Amino acid sequence: MGTAQSHVEFRGVGKTYDGRTMVVRDLDLRARRGEFLTLLGPSGSGKTTCLMMLAGFETPTEGEIRIAGRPVHDVPPRKRGIGMVFQNYALFPHMTVGRNLSFPLEVRGMDAARRAECVRRVLALVRLDGFEARRPDELSGGQQQRVAIARALVFEPDLVLMDEPLGALDRRLREEMQFEIRRIQRELGVTVVYVTHDQQEAMAMSDRVAVFHRGRIEQVASPETLYEEPEGEFVARFIGDNNLLRGRIVSVGPDTCEVETPGGTVRAFPVHRHRPGDRTVLAIRPERVGLARTGVYSNIFEADVEDIAFLGDHLRLRLDLCGNPAFIVKIPNTVGHGAVLRGDRIRVGWGAVDCRALPDDEGARAVEAVAA
Amino acid sequence: MARSAERRPFGDHLGRGLYLAFCVAVLVFLIAPMLVIVPLSFNAEPYFTFTEGMLRLDADAWSLRWYRGIVADDDWPRALGNSLVIGVAATAIATALGVLAALGLANPAMPGRVPVTALLLSPMVTPLVISAAGMFFFYSDLGLAQTHLGLILAHAALGAPFVVITVTATLAGFDGNLARAAASLGAAPPTVFRRVQLPLIAPGVISGALFAFATSLDEVVTVLFLGGLEQRTIPRKMWSGIREEISPEILAVATILVAFALLLLGTVEWLRRRGGERAAARFRPG
Ligand SMILES: Nc1ncnc2c1ncn2[C@@H]1O[C@H](COP(=O)(O)OP(=O)(O)OP(=O)(O)O)[C@@H](O)[C@H]1O
Ligand SMILES: [Mg+2]
């Protein structure tokens, strides 16, 4: 399937509620058929707004949304054929589970026998066989969640939207439900657009993740790519842990660049076309930094161990390095407790490929402000 | 120190005594006049006071003659008919409009919610004489004065705020996403209303309707302004009854009205409890 066959497509979508602040800006986003796409971002970054526009409960101020290649601006929500799971489930409290599930089938005019069959099947899918006669207030949070998912699937939509569906559950149940949702999605082959502000949840479930920040998409990529190859400071900070070092580009080669930091010159991988003199932010994962005697590194620095935490499988060191007073290093516990102590002066190093030179966001923001 | 310790119980007693006295005064002045009419309405004599026979509990001193009088008289049944026709029609209009208004006002996207709410509720705070006088002049021009329709519309305007308030309160307890969920499942707006919204707000609709009906039933000011001889309602008839021919029939009618009001109140309370229980069950931690 080519790009024309994207199941969901946002083209230059913008949205403002009050006519002044754009809560979503210049949004271009595609989901392939059968894809699990997650919108990830901090609170207020516009994720729900995007989902509501896709479902038809809000209209875009600018741009166009297409489903299966067709613009949907004049299609009301009930005709979009989208299954929707709301954060607080939105189960009808005055109907039993069975009636909740058969509601979408009734409004489609399906006969009673087939309805009962569909309800039974979908309850089996979410592992709630025999719960037809219960009322929503007689179910646990996790069970209500499953009913909400079942109701969004029972009329066999090929697109399902979920807005923080696991937000109200405790951690154990969340993890269990993450697998359940993923299993169901694979089993049915439906396209899922999922909203969360929990990056671990996004990483665990998604084929691709769109990282939202202030109404814009910072990066859309697979979880691996987001982790290994963040393209901006926000993603580097938001996904996993990263050590950030601020500095200025000194020289740029094909695969490496040299960056001057308060602690010395660092060799890094240039993510953008930097020019000498540009300000940059270096992002280095704590687990990619090693003790200098155990590896061959393009960057080697000496630093005092400010603090150390023994975490069983690894040691977590805090160093004051290259202008970052809280530079974290994770060292696998192959050397045993006591090999490194607080106050030791140690040599650490990392490869240039593990050190990504990103555009400095403060600089970018300044440019943005001038342009606006 | 010792003195204040001695005095405090005295202060407590005084406070408590005042409090009790106040409660008794409230009961005596507000409730007793209503309660006293009940036995008086069974008076065998045409007096508004207890006769010696009544106090001695002589069976002869008590009778249903005033109740029989009401039924025999042409005017009372006609007044009852007017009250019911106007009350039921006004309640129907007030309920339909009030429910729609409450649903619209519950939508956060609706512009001007605050001024519209204030406007809709204004009949509750405007002095009745003023609204009634305004309606009189306005309806006279339209030819609605001294018609049933005019009174029905006037009472609908007075009753609608109660429906708006009770339905809004009921809606506040419900998840706004329920209507969206129903729409996403393929239901057209009328279906969403009938299958999802109406069943959930039903207790609020019914208690609002009962309030609207009660308002119409005991309303006399607009009837004085707008009603002619043909539109005499029960309160209007009582009004003239008290002023013109003092007869204990009025006490009998009043007793019936009190009983009816208690029935309405009981129904409202029962609905409120039921709604409360349902809401409590819904928010039970799962
Ligand atoms: N109905 C509305 N009217 C006005 N402003 C709104 C409305 N809904 C959202 N906003 C604003 O739009 C911005 C984005 O909101 P949105 O709900 O899309 O964020 P979100 O990413 O879903 O956040 P969260 O993780 O907290 O749910 C916020 O600043 C919010 O205040
Ligand atoms: Mg949200």
Side-chain angles (χ1 to χ4, degrees):
Chain A
M1 293 197 185
T3 47
Q5 283 298 308
S6 295
H7 193 174
V8 174
E9 189 173 358
F10 287 78
R11 288 191 178 180
V13 170
K15 173 73 182 174
T16 169
Y17 288 103
D18 57 8
R20 288 193 308 273
T21 38
M22 298 295 287
V23 297
V24 172
R25 283 177 285 186
D26 308 324
L27 188 83
D28 289 300
L29 184 63
R30 294 203 171 107
R32 291 186 307 273
R33 217 163 255 288
E35 185 173 35
F36 197 114
L37 175 72
T38 295
L39 315 185
L40 171 69
S43 186
S45 55
K47 310 177 297 286
T48 298
T49 302
C50 286
L51 216 58
M52 288 298 161
M53 289 192 289
L54 183 52
F57 296 120
E58 296 287 352
T59 33
T61 317
E62 297 166 357
E64 186 179 76
I65 296 174
R66 291 173 175 239
I67 297 176
R70 277 204 316 276
V72 291
H73 59 270
D74 53 0
V75 183
R78 76 189 138 98
K79 294 199 173 143
R80 294 197 182 189
I82 296 176
M84 180 123 192
V85 181
F86 293 85
Q87 175 164 8
N88 41 14
Y89 318 137
L91 296 176
F92 305 132
H94 57 301
M95 299 184 194
T96 61
V97 169
R99 296 303 298 274
N100 263 281
L101 295 180
S102 71
F103 182 84
L105 307 176
E106 281 168 41
V107 301
R108 283 172 173 73
M110 189 185 279
D111 63 69
R114 278 186 57 210
R115 283 203 311 257
E117 176 54 30
C118 288
V119 168
R120 233 189 343 268
R121 264 214 315 269
V122 80
L123 276 176
L125 183 73
V126 298
R127 304 191 169 148
L128 281 178
D129 314 66
F131 275 69
E132 280 96 336
R134 297 275 198 101
R135 291 169 68 101
D137 56 32
E138 297 166 345
L139 299 178
S140 74
Q143 289 168 336
Q144 290 181 24
Q145 179 58 59
R146 284 162 198 261
V147 175
I149 293 172
R151 193 180 61 177
L153 293 170
V154 68
F155 58 98
E156 301 184 353
D158 52 5
L159 174 58
V160 178
L161 313 184
M162 304 192 185
D163 191 358
E164 310 215 15
L166 307 182
L169 304 183
D170 64 48
R171 211 172 59 91
R172 283 259 303 283
L173 206 49
R174 280 175 86 109
E175 284 170 8
E176 188 185 317
M177 286 303 298
Q178 288 172 10
F179 283 110
E180 285 286 276
I181 291 175
R182 195 65 176 132
R183 171 184 68 81
I184 291 167
Q185 187 258 343
R186 291 221 182 89
E187 228 168 285
L188 301 178
V190 293
T191 309
V192 170
V193 181
Y194 190 95
V195 163
T196 181
H197 59 248
D198 178 341
Q199 52 120 346
Q200 287 191 359
E201 191 169 300
M203 302 286 275
M205 300 178 77
S206 323
D207 294 318
R208 283 192 310 148
V209 179
V211 181
F212 274 65
H213 178 46
R214 299 182 178 188
R216 283 181 203 279
I217 292 184
E218 291 276 334
Q219 192 172 353
V220 193
S222 67
E224 296 81 5
T225 310
L226 279 183
Y227 190 81
E228 299 294 350
E229 299 165 20
E231 281 171 8
E233 181 180 340
F234 181 78
V235 176
R237 278 173 183 277
F238 200 68
I239 308 285
D241 294 331
N242 249 320
N243 292 301
L244 300 182
L245 302 177
R246 294 188 186 277
R248 221 171 257 285
I249 304 277
V250 179
S251 67
V252 185
D255 289 335
T256 57
C257 59
E258 295 197 331
V259 177
E260 193 178 294
T261 70
T265 306
V266 178
R267 296 164 70 77
F269 176 79
V271 175
H272 284 256
R273 251 184 274 137
H274 298 287
R275 278 183 311 231
D278 284 356
R279 291 156 59 87
T280 182
V281 178
L282 303 178
I284 309 141
R285 296 272 175 210
E287 72 272 19
R288 299 289 162 83
V289 182
L291 294 174
R293 57 180 145 79
T294 61
V296 185
Y297 297 117
S298 334
N299 298 292
I300 294 186
F301 288 93
E302 243 179 37
D304 291 329
V305 178
E306 304 271 322
D307 203 354
I308 185 165
F310 179 70
L311 295 169
D313 62 336
H314 72 269
L315 300 170
R316 200 176 157 85
L317 314 181
R318 185 161 62 80
L319 314 176
D320 184 348
L321 196 68
C322 295
N324 183 343
F327 191 99
I328 303 297
V329 179
K330 275 189 201 169
I331 295 175
N333 184 8
T334 52
V335 284
H337 185 41
V340 184
L341 295 172
R342 181 182 306 132
D344 281 359
R345 187 150 186 89
I346 59 168
R347 281 156 65 82
V348 293
W350 61 87
V353 282
D354 290 325
C355 177
R356 298 175 64 79
L358 307 169
D360 188 306
D361 252 11
E362 274 164 5
R365 257 176 249 134
V367 171
E368 208 173 274
V370 170
Chain B
M1 291 296 274
R3 278 182 66 173
S4 78
E6 272 164 31
R7 284 178 60 168
R8 190 174 298 134
F10 174 71
D12 277 1
H13 282 306
L14 185 67
R16 213 176 143 67
L18 281 175
Y19 174 71
L20 277 178
F22 180 75
C23 292
V24 169
V26 167
L27 288 177
V28 166
F29 282 93
L30 293 184
I31 312 288
M34 284 200 320
L35 288 184
V36 90
I37 62 164
V38 177
L40 278 179
S41 70
F42 296 99
N43 199 341
E45 305 295 325
Y47 302 131
F48 279 63
T49 52
F50 288 99
T51 56
E52 281 185 19
M54 291 183 85
L55 294 176
R56 270 187 275 113
L57 296 179
D58 270 352
D60 290 349
W62 300 76
S63 90
L64 289 173
R65 79 181 259 209
W66 307 115
Y67 290 86
R68 263 183 253 116
I70 301 172
V71 183
D73 188 343
D74 268 357
D75 283 358
W76 283 113
R78 185 135 44 84
L80 176 68
N82 277 334
S83 272
L84 288 182
V85 167
I86 292 170
V88 168
T91 302
I93 295 175
T95 308
L97 295 181
V99 168
L100 291 178
L103 285 175
L105 291 171
N107 181 357
M110 149 140 188
R113 283 206 287 173
V114 175
V116 172
T117 309
L119 193 70
L120 285 178
L121 299 188
S122 62
M124 290 182 86
V125 290
T126 318
L128 250 184
V129 186
I130 295 177
S131 348
M135 285 173 183
F136 172 69
F137 290 116
F138 183 56
Y139 285 9
S140 297
D141 286 350
L142 297 178
L144 284 173
Q146 313 215 337
T147 65
H148 279 80
L149 182 61
L151 272 180
I152 289 170
L153 292 179
H155 281 183
L158 296 182
F162 292 102
V163 182
V164 172
I165 286 176
T166 54
V167 174
T168 302
T170 321
L171 276 174
F174 285 103
D175 177 0
N177 276 333
L178 287 176
R180 286 180 161 181
S184 82
L185 295 170
T191 315
V192 177
F193 178 71
R194 197 168 43 81
R195 297 278 315 271
V196 177
Q197 289 175 305
L198 192 56
L200 292 175
I201 61 175
V205 175
I206 295 174
S207 53
L210 290 179
F211 276 120
F213 187 63
T215 305
S216 166
L217 207 60
D218 69 15
E219 206 287 326
V220 71
V221 180
T222 55
V223 185
L224 282 173
F225 275 84
L226 288 173
L229 265 181
E230 290 302 306
Q231 287 83 39
R232 285 209 155 183
T233 58
I234 289 180
R236 176 69 181 80
K237 172 96 175 84
M238 290 173 80
W239 170 265
S240 45
I242 292 167
R243 285 166 44 104
E244 291 149 23
E245 16 122 23
I246 296 190
S247 146
E249 276 183 6
I250 288 172
L251 297 181
V253 174
T255 304
I256 295 172
L257 285 183
V258 167
F260 185 72
L262 285 178
L263 195 70
L264 283 189
L265 261 182
T267 313
V268 170
E269 183 59 21
W270 179 71
L271 284 171
R272 206 180 56 79
R273 291 238 178 116
R274 220 178 59 145
E277 267 167 32
R278 286 237 307 250
R282 238 191 348 273
F283 295 123
R284 195 184 55 187

